[in-house]
Amino acid sequence: MITDAHSHVLALDFGGTKLAAAVVDIQNGQILAQQRQATPAEQGADGSIKTMLTLGRQVLKDCTLAAPARVGISFGGPVSGDCRTVLMSNHVPGWENVPLPQLVSETFGCPAAMDNDANAAALGSWWYDAHREPDHMVYIQISTGIGAGLVLKREIYRGAAIAGEIGHITVVPNGPLCVCGKHGCLESLTAGWAIARAGRKALENAVHGSPLWQACQGDADRLDARLVIQAANAGDPTAGEIINDAFSALGIAIANMILLYDPQTVMLGGGVARAQREMLAVMEPVIERELHPLSKKRCKLQFSGLEGRETLLGAAHLPL
Ligand SMILES: [Zn+2]
């Protein structure tokens, strides 16, 4: 039920593979209307902006809302320290130095705020998973890539601009090659693409009919992180090793984050984090082993229950 139009915020999520727009009631975290579309990457930044503005107008119309109170933008890539400019995108060409909040603000006739997607998701998760209880929370998104958002003293901590790049901290010296060109980054072991890559490599030597082979019927192109985890659960020893390496690396990274920031909560979100049981079984003993005695039992480990909505919800709460 629409009660107060002043609490209705237009949230825009510019992802590498999809665009999403929603009207969020920030009084209760309800998404009142939502539209999604694949990112037209071949049309560059201009095509994404045009498509997103159309989606934004559509959700406002769906809610019979003439104008939102403000707009919150989540961008899937680095933004400038003052959050006024997109720096670039790894997925879509033409995003260098685009003043996106200004463009959006002019279109919808209201103020617009922006941050990167990990920070937006962290804020959404802090509001609606953690219910704003912890003063200090680390949110880690484990999906195609891995990023973290730091809520410190109840606000997003950005450093000079891009704090929280946990995906590219080294967890295994001289480990597997990462997309960034380094070796042994957390992302090179634990991201969805990395688990799938390790699975495909293992499939080359897999016995016909083994759980890993069965999970994808021997077709390497079908093998994704979910199927590798499934094969590990079915007792495939090689898949088990891949999962063990992936979630041990995550445990080391989380222990390091706890030692650095002493958060009350570490929140895990993203597609790979749906393997909650498998993740905890490997990760908990590693975290226990890696933590200094003073840091033990001080931090709660929690999984997001928002199923991907945290990014839009957090975008709606971004400070202007
Ligand atoms: Zn890397």
Side-chain angles (χ1 to χ4, degrees), residues 200 203 212-224 227:
R200 284 194 292 271
L203 190 65
L212 185 65
W213 189 94
Q214 280 185 345
C216 64
Q217 291 300 305
D219 180 358
D221 291 339
R222 283 177 56 190
L223 206 54
D224 59 11
L227 290 178

Side-chain angles (χ1 to χ4, degrees), residues 167-169 178-183 185-188:
H168 303 285
I169 61 167
C178 184
V179 281
C180 71
K182 296 199 301 148
H183 286 264
C185 297
L186 176 62
E187 204 170 296
S188 75

Side-chain angles (χ1 to χ4, degrees), residues 140 142 146-147 166-172 178 182-191 193-194 245-254:
I140 305 175
I142 310 140
I146 301 180
I166 189 180
H168 303 285
I169 61 167
T170 303
V171 284
V172 178
C178 184
K182 296 199 301 148
H183 286 264
C185 297
L186 176 62
E187 204 170 296
S188 75
L189 287 128
T190 313
W193 66 263
D245 289 349
F247 297 156
S248 297
L250 183 62
I252 291 171
I254 289 174

Side-chain angles (χ1 to χ4, degrees), residues 43 102 147 194 247 249 266 299:
Q43 295 169 32
Q102 190 191 330
F247 297 156
V266 169
C299 176

